[in-house]
Amino acid sequence: MPITILNKMSKDIVTGVLIIAFIHAVAIHIPVIGTFSALLLPLPVFFFRIKMGRGAGAAILVLSGFLMTAMSGTFSMDSVFFI
């Protein structure tokens, strides 16, 4: 693959992980809105999987799973919606 395509893919992967991290942070720190935002956790993974393919979607899923666990300190119940 040309370097420009790889740069675009890595930028999209980072964007997907950051979107999921933001939704997860909202779900943890804002109780009322967090209930509804936790339901939105799988949507960025679906979008980027359709856009970029199975491998990139899996990378976003795994990286954001590690990031969510690091952000919350433990495996939280919000992560169950994500899996």
Side-chain angles (χ1 to χ4, degrees):
M1 280 189 213
I3 293 177
T4 57
I5 294 174
L6 291 177
N7 287 340
K8 177 78 168 131
M9 283 183 65
S10 62
K11 181 181 175 185
D12 286 342
I13 289 173
V14 170
T15 302
V17 170
L18 291 177
I19 289 170
I20 292 172
F22 175 73
I23 294 171
H24 189 260
V26 168
I28 289 176
H29 296 293
I30 303 174
V32 176
I33 298 173
T35 304
F36 300 108
S37 67
L39 297 174
L40 299 176
L41 280 172
L43 295 180
V45 175
F46 293 147
F47 173 76
F48 284 106
R49 185 179 187 276
I50 290 170
K51 179 180 177 183
M52 298 171 35
R54 184 180 298 181
I60 291 172
L61 179 70
V62 169
L63 290 173
S64 58
F66 284 133
L67 185 64
M68 287 190 310
T69 303
M71 284 173 49
S72 62
T74 61
F75 188 76
S76 68
M77 287 305 291
D78 292 328
S79 300
V80 174
F81 287 115
F82 183 66
I83 296 173

